[in-house]
Amino acid sequence: MILKPQLNDIKNIGYYLGRIILCIGLTMFLPFITGLLLFREPNPALDFLISANLTIFIGLALSWLCKTDRDLHSGPAMVVIALSWLAAMALSAVPLLLSGHYKSFLDACFETMSGFTTTGLTLVQDLDHLSRTHNLWRHLGPFIGGQGIAIIAISFLLEGTSGSLNLYLGEGRDEKLVPNVIHTARFIWAISIVYLILGTLALGLVGMSIGLKPPSAFFHAACVFMAGFDTAGFAPRSPNILYYHSLMFEIVTIFFMVVGSFNFNLHYQIWTGNFKEIRKNIETRTLLFVVMIVTLITMAGLRQMGVYSDGMIMFRKGFFQLISGQTTTGYMTIYAQQFIREWGDLALTGIIIAMGLGGCACSTAGGIKMLRVGIIYKAFRQDIKSILLSPNAIVAHKFHHIKTMFIEDRQVRAVLIVTLGYFLLYGLGTLVGVAVGYPFLDALFESTSAAGNVGLSCGITDTSMPAILKVTYIIEMWAGRLELMSVFALIGFLVAFVKGR
Amino acid sequence: MKKIAIWYNVALGIFWEALYVMVIIGVGALFALVIQYMR
């Protein structure tokens, strides 16, 4: 028998949801102040004042109406997380819609969901004339969402309750850096801010060296860093990274894309003196191995098609796109249509595999994640060994992730369920894409890009694509970022609400 | 003193991470070079 949620359960969810919405509203003051004082763009800044007031009002009203002292358990916490990402998408879309650069509210919602989930697919019109204030907001989305929307609330607005821990776990993160969840959240911010300073400085200097004026160079640097480190792939100009035409800019961007796809726990270990971890960790080992395989596939495909004339162009076009896909960033140094017209099926398959497998767990990257890929590989080896050896032989495989662990059936089962979920998600988007008339490989490419939170596009994502496909991609981005479980929890909650007794 | 030790570890950590990325970039550059040679 399914139990119907009680009024107290709904109040509990509403209270925490209200606190998170309040946080989102407060972050809107950043583009407002920057736009007004730094960029001197009063009209765009006003859009953020209106949106911040609306969001804060909703957040405060919800917190006040649902005020409760009850702690949040794991199930309701997942429902809060699933709902808070939808609320963040809708409320953050308001200033973008007010900019006049989006055809509809659905397009603005697509953009914000793409930003918060660090995907990077975009439906903005005339990006090159979008105000700096709105552009800053586009790039702040990935910086907030990459770390986690709940992480902000945990860092600044929620007390040290078990509810905070459950919210943290609900966002697809199952590793704590330090025993205290608030300290974990703050350390995640510390890593991001240290890299923000380094990244803005490095990309800004490269930008100046290629002829950008200092204010413009550092604005571009901050935007590219935020969307690169957080594996989102938004850029301030429509040709994306191709705009800069600089090998150095591309190499620095590759550095921040790869580092951004690292597990935050790995950063913590390395930054606190455990340098061996980078060599021993199952995720870094698997990532290196997977990069080798997909590079081989993609470059063989490109060679077959004879697209790029020499090694350097192959590196700058082929390898850049590949690393962008593997780290689930989505930065591009080619035009979207080139994937379909020039790359050929084999090279596209290489990129699709890279996008589908993704970066490291507990990072800003999407996809199935290297930890799961590594565990599945170890489990396969363990099973094959036990078939080959005598029936009485005990085969135990270990892997190293922060500490050395034995592969357990329970663990493998959990990994396989999430992996299967991702395959279903990739399949769902492909099915809808094919149903509305796109070729299979194009639909698979775009669907994997959306569900894996990548952002590479072969040209399907466009303002003119059918609304059903936009909604499907929004769902894929949302479910992919939350690693499905919070979405299942929300569906379960709604079913219990309708059918429960 | 403690703060210096923390920042020293952070700097070394970033160095190790950069080294790992260099290996990844090296893989791409090497494969691109091999493909060029095969032409």
Side-chain angles (χ1 to χ4, degrees):
Chain A
M1 186 177 75
I2 306 170
L3 289 175
K4 196 172 187 134
Q6 302 296 306
L7 184 65
N8 273 339
D9 298 323
I10 295 166
K11 277 180 80 175
N12 208 6
I13 290 169
Y15 174 73
Y16 279 89
L17 183 62
R19 302 297 278 181
I20 293 174
I21 290 175
L22 182 61
C23 262
I24 296 161
L26 291 173
T27 58
M28 287 182 189
F29 280 108
L30 198 63
F32 168 66
I33 293 165
T34 320
L36 202 63
L37 302 178
L38 194 66
F39 303 147
R40 302 192 182 276
E41 295 174 332
N43 284 349
L46 203 62
D47 294 345
F48 286 92
L49 188 64
I50 295 166
S51 312
N53 283 338
L54 174 74
T55 311
I56 289 171
F57 173 76
I58 293 173
L60 282 176
L62 209 54
S63 304
W64 181 71
L65 283 173
C66 303
K67 185 151 182 60
T68 173
D69 292 331
R70 276 178 64 188
D71 227 345
L72 194 66
H73 298 296
S74 61
M78 285 189 165
V79 177
V80 170
I81 288 297
L83 289 174
S84 65
W85 280 73
L86 292 178
M89 171 194 76
L91 293 165
S92 303
V94 176
L96 293 186
L97 185 70
L98 292 174
S99 73
H101 283 258
Y102 292 87
K103 221 168 98 178
S104 63
F105 186 63
L106 179 64
D107 284 15
C109 282
F110 185 97
E111 189 85 2
T112 48
M113 183 56 95
S114 175
F116 279 128
T117 57
T118 75
T119 305
L121 292 170
T122 183
L123 289 181
V124 65
Q125 290 184 312
D126 194 14
L127 172 62
D128 299 332
H129 293 102
L130 184 69
S131 73
R132 283 188 174 184
T133 313
H134 285 103
N135 229 332
L136 179 70
W137 183 237
R138 280 179 77 235
H139 290 86
L140 264 177
F143 201 61
I144 295 164
Q147 275 53 268
I149 289 174
I151 289 276
I152 313 177
I154 293 166
S155 305
F156 305 111
L157 274 188
L158 293 172
E159 296 79 32
T161 56
S162 68
S164 303
L165 174 65
N166 290 326
L167 285 174
Y168 175 79
L169 297 175
E171 265 186 339
R173 297 230 165 92
D174 48 5
E175 293 178 33
K176 281 195 291 173
L177 278 52
V178 283
N180 184 317
V181 72
I182 294 176
H183 290 167
T184 296
R186 287 182 185 160
F187 196 85
I188 287 176
W189 276 107
I191 293 166
S192 307
I193 286 166
V194 167
Y195 265 127
L196 173 66
I197 295 165
L198 282 178
T200 307
L201 206 63
L203 288 167
L205 291 175
V206 177
M208 280 163 64
S209 76
I210 56 170
L212 292 175
K213 287 181 181 162
S216 184
F218 284 102
F219 172 71
H220 279 245
C223 289
V224 170
F225 170 80
M226 282 193 282
F229 181 78
D230 286 284
T231 67
F234 280 156
R237 289 289 177 270
S238 51
N240 211 271
I241 299 300
L242 187 63
Y243 175 77
Y244 305 100
H245 283 292
S246 160
L247 174 65
M248 187 50 80
F249 202 93
E250 287 160 23
I251 288 181
V252 177
T253 311
I254 288 179
F255 173 76
F256 289 114
M257 287 195 289
V258 176
V259 165
S261 75
F262 279 174
N263 192 318
F264 280 113
N265 211 350
L266 181 70
H267 283 297
Y268 178 76
Q269 293 298 322
I270 298 169
W271 286 24
T272 49
N274 184 8
F275 306 123
K276 282 182 185 169
E277 190 61 34
I278 200 159
R279 193 169 45 82
K280 288 162 68 180
N281 195 288
I282 187 172
E283 289 200 283
T284 48
R285 285 179 169 212
T286 313
L287 181 65
L288 188 60
F289 181 72
V290 170
V291 165
M292 281 183 185
I293 300 292
V294 288
T295 305
L296 208 62
I297 297 171
T298 309
M299 291 198 175
L302 290 174
R303 183 179 175 274
Q304 197 181 48
M305 298 298 289
V307 202
Y308 301 120
S309 53
D310 68 21
M312 179 55 88
I313 299 177
M314 182 78 91
F315 175 81
R316 289 184 66 180
K317 303 293 178 190
F319 188 67
F320 186 91
Q321 262 55 235
L322 185 85
I323 286 297
S324 180
Q326 183 72 61
T327 58
T328 75
T329 309
Y331 272 147
M332 291 165 83
T333 53
I334 59 171
Y335 292 104
Q337 285 79 12
Q338 282 180 277
F339 276 124
I340 301 303
R341 291 188 191 149
E342 295 178 356
W343 275 45
D345 291 353
L346 185 60
L348 271 190
T349 308
I351 293 268
I352 291 171
I353 295 171
M355 293 195 297
L357 298 182
C360 298
C362 193
S363 71
T364 63
I368 292 168
K369 311 271 166 32
M370 287 301 118
L371 183 60
R372 296 196 180 98
V373 176
I375 289 175
I376 291 171
Y377 167 72
K378 291 265 181 187
F380 261 121
R381 270 187 62 183
Q382 186 173 332
D383 271 18
I384 291 168
K385 256 191 182 174
S386 50
I387 292 166
L388 296 176
L389 293 174
S390 104
N392 298 328
I394 296 169
V395 182
H397 264 266
K398 287 186 283 187
F399 68 96
H400 185 87
H401 176 62
I402 314 302
K403 58 184 184 205
T404 303
M405 290 176 264
F406 282 98
I407 299 263
E408 291 170 18
D409 286 349
R410 187 173 48 87
Q411 198 176 35
V412 176
R413 183 175 177 272
V415 162
L416 285 174
I417 286 173
V418 177
T419 307
L420 184 67
Y422 271 105
F423 280 124
L424 289 175
L425 212 53
Y426 299 152
L428 169 80
T430 310
L431 194 70
V432 178
V434 170
V436 295
Y438 293 102
F440 173 75
L441 201 63
D442 301 17
L444 177 65
F445 184 97
E446 209 80 358
S447 169
T448 310
S449 181
N453 302 132
V454 183
L456 288 178
S457 173
C458 63
I460 292 180
T461 300
D462 185 75
T463 45
S464 60
M465 74 175 171
I468 177 83
L469 202 54
K470 289 178 188 170
V471 174
T472 307
Y473 288 163
I474 288 176
I475 293 169
E476 282 193 280
M477 293 189 274
W478 173 58
R481 172 63 180 86
L482 297 180
E483 300 201 334
L484 300 138
M485 288 306 161
S486 294
V487 178
F488 290 152
L490 177 63
I491 294 168
F493 181 80
L494 294 175
V495 169
F497 197 74
V498 176
K499 286 196 167 180
R501 289 181 202 169
Chain B
M1 197 63 193
K2 200 182 164 195
K3 273 192 176 171
I4 294 171
I6 290 171
W7 284 107
Y8 176 73
N9 273 339
V10 168
L12 264 183
I14 292 171
F15 168 77
W16 277 102
E17 289 181 356
L19 213 62
Y20 178 84
V21 180
M22 285 302 138
V23 173
I24 295 255
I25 292 175
V27 167
L30 185 73
F31 282 21
L33 208 69
V34 169
I35 297 281
Q36 184 187 20
Y37 180 73
M38 281 167 69
R39 282 169 193 277

